[in-house]
Amino acid sequence: MQNSAWKKHKSCGTSSLLPMTPKKPQQWLQVVGHAGSFHVGDYGTLLKKFCEGEQQCYLRLMEDVLRPFVPAYHGVVQRDEQDYNMMDNLLTHFNSPAIMDCKMGSRTYLEGELQVARERPQPRNDMYEKMVAVDPEAPTVQERALQAVLKTRYMQWRETLSSTTSLGFRIEGFRKSNEECHTNFKRTKSREQVMEALNNFVESNTHIVWGYLRRLKQLRQVLEASDFFRTHEVVGSSLLFLHDWTGRTGVWMIDFGKTAALPAHLALDHRTPWVEGNREDGYLWGLDNLIDILANMLPLT
């Protein structure tokens, strides 16, 4: 990629490209998500389609104790007249890694989205089709007559099928180092099903499980001390898991497009069950369950 094709965004301040050492760009393996949202940048960076909310989160996170647990953020660049948030490509330091995306929290929609859906309801045919494809009995009589459902209704329904509601996280998808992909986890709900999926991802390698467990316990400790975490509703965010044949493991928090700052009087513990108005997201409850499941995958000693 030619450097001349890039220009730093005017609101970016000092150029952060200079101190970065050139690294071989590696293909960004997008297990799940929207095609075209990502591009591999120069110098071991990743470009993600610009979202102002996400930019604000990264700027705050770079000053927070959580910094080691998120991709380093390098500002905004423009390519073909489209703005992108530029961050470290986490795959750069791994050798043909296995990669997994776990969506954290007990819900994946913001309270604000429920409010908008009530005030300006927009029934969607595409989501109705998705719903009946999984469960023909799921739509109400009214939804059947319309052949459409509201987005929030679809999302709430979908979460009851997966471990989002029962465990506070769900596996979105994973790809093994041999390029074998698994993305069908919409009905993976019980602890046993989740454990089976995780065991498949790590290929029963206890050394890899230990590595993930250590990292997640460190993350939990830092989350509980983080000002950013206490003052934000963290919804729709994922943990990205990476390991390779050398035994190296890593876990990072990614995707902050739906993470919202709370009013000044509010702070979350991220474990209290959500009721509308309390803004709780269940993130730590999900992390507790994930740690517990991984611990149970290890042999008793």
Side-chain angles (χ1 to χ4, degrees):
M1 226 173 269
Q2 294 298 309
N3 285 336
S4 59
W6 299 89
K7 64 177 181 186
K8 291 294 286 177
H9 195 265
K10 52 188 174 292
S11 66
C12 233
T14 56
S15 173
S16 52
L17 279 172
L18 296 173
M20 298 174 68
T21 51
K23 292 199 174 72
K24 190 174 134 205
Q26 222 177 335
Q27 185 195 10
W28 173 245
L29 307 175
Q30 202 183 351
V31 180
V32 286
H34 301 289
S37 298
F38 294 97
H39 294 284
V40 175
D42 295 335
Y43 305 101
T45 61
L46 181 75
L47 307 173
K48 186 178 181 186
K49 199 170 276 185
F50 181 76
C51 160
E52 190 180 357
E54 191 156 41
Q55 178 200 32
Q56 293 310 309
C57 286
Y58 273 115
L59 290 171
R60 288 279 307 274
L61 284 162
M62 290 302 99
E63 306 295 319
D64 190 81
V65 291
L66 277 170
R67 182 172 179 155
F69 293 91
V70 297
Y73 180 68
H74 304 292
V76 185
V77 293
Q78 204 175 61
R79 180 190 187 191
D80 302 330
E81 311 213 336
Q82 168 71 52
D83 286 347
Y84 291 90
N85 280 318
M86 181 166 67
M87 60 198 77
D88 277 2
N89 183 345
L90 298 168
L91 276 66
T92 304
H93 301 292
F94 288 83
N95 205 319
S96 302
I99 176 171
M100 177 172 70
D101 180 308
C102 263
K103 186 82 77 184
M104 298 304 294
S106 52
R107 60 189 165 94
T108 59
Y109 47 85
L110 290 165
E111 290 199 5
E113 289 181 275
L114 291 179
Q115 195 62 36
V116 169
R118 274 198 288 267
E119 288 166 6
R120 297 194 295 277
Q122 292 180 311
R124 301 237 326 233
N125 303 99
D126 59 331
M127 290 187 167
Y128 176 84
E129 297 299 333
K130 283 185 182 177
M131 184 184 265
V132 293
V134 176
D135 181 1
E137 301 302 308
T140 63
V141 174
Q142 190 182 10
E143 287 163 349
R144 227 174 254 124
L146 282 172
Q147 301 271 293
V149 296
L150 296 176
K151 181 182 178 182
T152 45
R153 153 82 169 125
Y154 173 79
M155 289 170 85
Q156 287 175 306
W157 165 78
R158 189 192 150 174
E159 287 173 6
T160 62
L161 299 182
S162 74
S163 56
T164 291
T165 312
S166 56
L167 295 170
F169 73 93
R170 70 168 181 252
I171 298 168
E172 286 284 275
F174 63 76
R175 172 174 166 155
K176 295 186 184 183
S177 55
N178 67 359
E179 303 195 357
E180 180 187 309
C181 274
H182 296 261
T183 54
N184 187 16
F185 295 105
K186 285 188 174 69
R187 285 181 171 275
T188 302
K189 188 171 183 174
S190 70
R191 292 179 90 87
E192 294 70 33
Q193 288 172 318
V194 170
M195 192 184 287
E196 189 182 334
L198 291 172
N199 212 23
N200 184 4
F201 172 62
V202 301
E203 303 189 75
S204 307
N205 185 326
T206 53
H207 174 76
I208 301 293
V209 177
W210 270 117
Y212 282 143
L213 204 49
R214 271 194 302 272
R215 178 78 170 166
L216 289 174
K217 285 179 174 178
Q218 289 165 355
L219 171 61
R220 178 166 63 185
Q221 202 173 355
V222 175
L223 283 169
E224 287 174 333
S226 163
D227 286 333
F228 176 89
F229 193 58
R230 192 166 49 250
T231 58
H232 284 75
E233 178 184 3
V234 184
V235 168
S237 180
S238 287
L239 287 179
L240 185 76
F241 290 72
L242 292 168
H243 68 264
D244 62 22
W245 60 270
T246 67
R248 180 182 164 86
T249 55
V251 182
W252 289 268
M253 298 173 73
I254 60 167
D255 295 343
F256 299 101
K258 276 191 175 184
T259 294
L262 299 166
H265 67 278
L266 207 57
L268 304 183
D269 66 23
H270 302 276
R271 286 190 175 98
T272 299
W274 175 65
V275 290
E276 196 172 345
N278 75 359
R279 305 284 289 268
E280 287 289 352
D281 53 36
Y283 194 109
L284 279 179
W285 173 59
L287 186 56
D288 291 339
N289 283 322
L290 183 50
I291 287 170
D292 190 51
I293 290 169
L294 282 166
N296 281 308
M297 286 165 59
L298 292 167
L300 293 169
T301 52

